[in-house]
Amino acid sequence: MQLINQYSFPFLAGVIILIIAGILLRKGGTDGLLVPLAAAIMGFLFAFWLFSPGASAETSEAARVESVIGSGKAVLLEFQSPY
């Protein structure tokens, strides 16, 4: 279930592209199929690149956090997901 949750956008984009291809094949054959499908694929790839999470800015402080955890004091950790 987590795989579907994390990659729901590519799954949904694939379904939408298949629906667009089915509609275009029913209406006019394969002559005008390439340009709209290529535009949809390029649009989905650009949106996936634009909205996908990048590296966290907090990774540089990992060594400091590890030293605080190992010092024997009580520590409250808060985990956040980029998804």
Side-chain angles (χ1 to χ4, degrees):
M1 190 60 146
Q2 187 169 348
L3 178 73
I4 294 173
N5 185 24
Q6 289 181 352
Y7 294 103
S8 61
F9 180 79
F11 288 144
L12 187 61
V15 169
I16 290 173
I17 287 175
L18 288 175
I19 290 171
I20 290 173
I23 291 171
L24 291 175
L25 281 173
R26 285 180 153 231
K27 287 195 174 194
T30 59
D31 293 340
L33 179 66
L34 186 60
V35 173
L37 272 182
I41 291 171
M42 295 283 286
F44 283 130
L45 287 175
F46 178 72
F48 185 72
W49 171 78
L50 185 66
F51 295 120
S52 63
S56 174
E58 303 297 324
T59 54
S60 62
E61 297 184 14
R64 185 177 67 83
V65 170
E66 287 180 7
S67 67
V68 170
I69 291 173
S71 67
K73 297 178 184 176
V75 177
L76 174 64
L77 293 178
E78 178 181 348
F79 294 100
Q80 295 180 353
S81 173
Y83 296 104

